[in-house]
Amino acid sequence: MLTDSPRAASATACRAPPRGGTGVSHEFGRVTAEDGRFGPSGLPGSREQKKEIRMRRKWFIAVAGLVGIQTLVALGADGPGGRRPAAPSAPGGPDANLPSVPSVFGTSGIDIYTVGWADLLPASSAVGYASNEGAVSGGYRWTTSNSAFLSTGLEGIPNGAIITQIVWYVNDANAASDFTGYLVRYWRESNFGGSPGGDILSTLSTTGTPGDTITFEGLSHTVLRRADVTGDTLPDVINYVLFAETPPFDGTVAFGETRILWQRQVSPAPAVATFPDVPTSDGAFQFVEALVASGITAGCGGGNYCPDAPLTRRQMAVFLAKALGLHWPAF
């Protein structure tokens, strides 16, 4: 098993100069009794060492949050309850209280996934459709015969992310017909393809004749691509589809765009601890387990994680490079 290092290292690979006494130091994930900065009990003996310990704990929590570590776990339909609050749907519009810039990493920032009118198509070639492709008008699409539905798959949101809001941008100029948008989840048994099913996660409609308008709501749904949805102990493979319903075939009700907000989240903690020195009661248990499940760390040796030992710059490089998948240059 690999330790916190780019290779299996000997106990002398990166040893600090002896200073007398015994203690514990991390070096390529190994534990030694060399560094005299520690007392006989293995605990830090100075304010500086206590500071190093606090920084180590903060560091691995920050790494887990930085990359929004996701692991393939069999959750229920909506994942862990109460993990992330839904984006606001209060007066002020869907942009109320949102961060000014989407984030690339992290669990507190919000990312945006958009679907344009050109992405939605009928499910059958027998269904006619038309588009308003004018640059000034912004572009809309609607069906013209046989079915009012346009659809597309939802593929741009990573496994384990939580959807917090959905917004539909539409045009409704028909008093007798309304636009309706759906977010639907489908599944079937992963190993054998049986027991297909589906459910509607969101339904939003317009009313009256608002013209160019939006309809939106907050959500709290964890995107899982493989999980036991049905509760039969067999994992299901899962996909998501957006449907836009645009009656009555004359362009007076049309789809323009969908915006979905989502956030990364750290995977739920398992029931059993990997390391005896990081029990389930430890405040950092969830984050340490996420690092283990992601292959970023295998502990410090001897079956332990050594959560209170200081972190070296070498170990920091290993953790970050593994977590971020560094480095594959494009040029």
Side-chain angles (χ1 to χ4, degrees):
M1 176 179 291
L2 293 177
T3 59
D4 300 343
S5 66
R7 62 184 182 276
S10 68
T12 60
C14 185
R15 183 170 297 166
R19 303 185 188 183
T22 60
V24 180
S25 65
H26 272 274
E27 40 187 63
F28 273 53
R30 301 293 299 270
V31 179
T32 64
E34 292 271 350
D35 197 337
R37 293 177 297 172
F38 294 84
S41 66
L43 297 177
S46 69
R47 180 181 301 177
E48 288 75 16
Q49 292 309 305
K50 292 178 181 178
K51 182 178 180 181
E52 285 188 60
I53 289 174
R54 290 194 298 268
M55 290 302 296
R56 177 179 173 86
R57 283 185 174 271
K58 292 179 180 178
W59 186 89
F60 67 72
I61 292 175
V63 168
L66 171 68
V67 299
I69 297 164
Q70 311 300 331
T71 59
L72 293 177
V73 292
L75 299 179
D78 290 326
R83 180 170 302 281
R84 187 70 57 206
S89 57
D95 291 348
N97 303 319
L98 295 181
S100 58
V101 180
S103 68
V104 177
F105 296 105
T107 57
S108 60
I110 295 175
D111 252 306
I112 297 177
Y113 178 80
T114 59
V115 177
W117 60 268
D119 297 316
L120 268 67
L121 293 168
S124 169
S125 59
V127 177
Y129 67 94
S131 306
N132 176 359
E133 302 175 8
V136 176
S137 64
Y140 287 97
R141 177 162 288 175
W142 61 93
T143 60
T144 58
S145 62
N146 296 327
S147 173
F149 287 96
L150 300 164
S151 63
T152 188
L154 188 65
E155 303 299 334
I157 300 177
N159 185 56
I162 184 168
I163 296 176
T164 59
Q165 187 190 73
I166 184 169
V167 186
W168 295 86
Y169 299 81
V170 303
N171 181 274
D172 181 356
N174 191 306
S177 298
D178 297 320
F179 170 89
T180 303
Y182 306 86
L183 173 59
V184 182
R185 176 179 60 169
Y186 292 101
W187 62 82
R188 63 187 66 246
E189 203 279 317
S190 181
N191 287 328
F192 305 103
S195 305
D199 57 3
I200 299 174
L201 303 177
S202 173
T203 304
L204 289 168
S205 299
T206 58
T207 57
T209 56
D212 291 325
T213 189
I214 63 171
T215 179
F216 68 98
E217 70 175 346
L219 296 174
S220 182
H221 176 78
T222 297
V223 173
L224 296 172
R225 302 295 180 178
R226 185 174 181 272
D228 180 13
V229 178
T230 59
D232 61 359
T233 72
L234 298 175
D236 301 292
V237 62
I238 305 165
N239 69 91
Y240 296 82
V241 180
L242 291 171
F243 288 93
E245 188 177 11
T246 61
F249 305 144
D250 60 3
T252 56
V253 176
F255 165 77
E257 187 173 351
T258 303
R259 186 187 80 184
I260 295 176
L261 302 185
W262 60 274
Q263 294 173 277
R264 292 171 177 84
Q265 57 182 348
V266 177
S267 57
V272 180
T274 300
F275 304 113
D277 57 351
V278 186
T280 58
S281 59
D282 192 292
F285 172 66
Q286 177 186 5
F287 304 100
V288 172
E289 293 294 340
L291 291 179
V292 174
S294 298
I296 294 172
T297 183
C300 63
N304 292 317
Y305 183 74
C306 304
D308 292 325
L311 183 75
T312 67
R313 290 171 61 85
R314 178 176 284 103
Q315 290 170 312
M316 178 189 71
V318 173
F319 284 160
L320 288 178
K322 286 184 175 182
L324 302 176
L326 303 179
H327 168 65
W328 295 90
F331 299 97

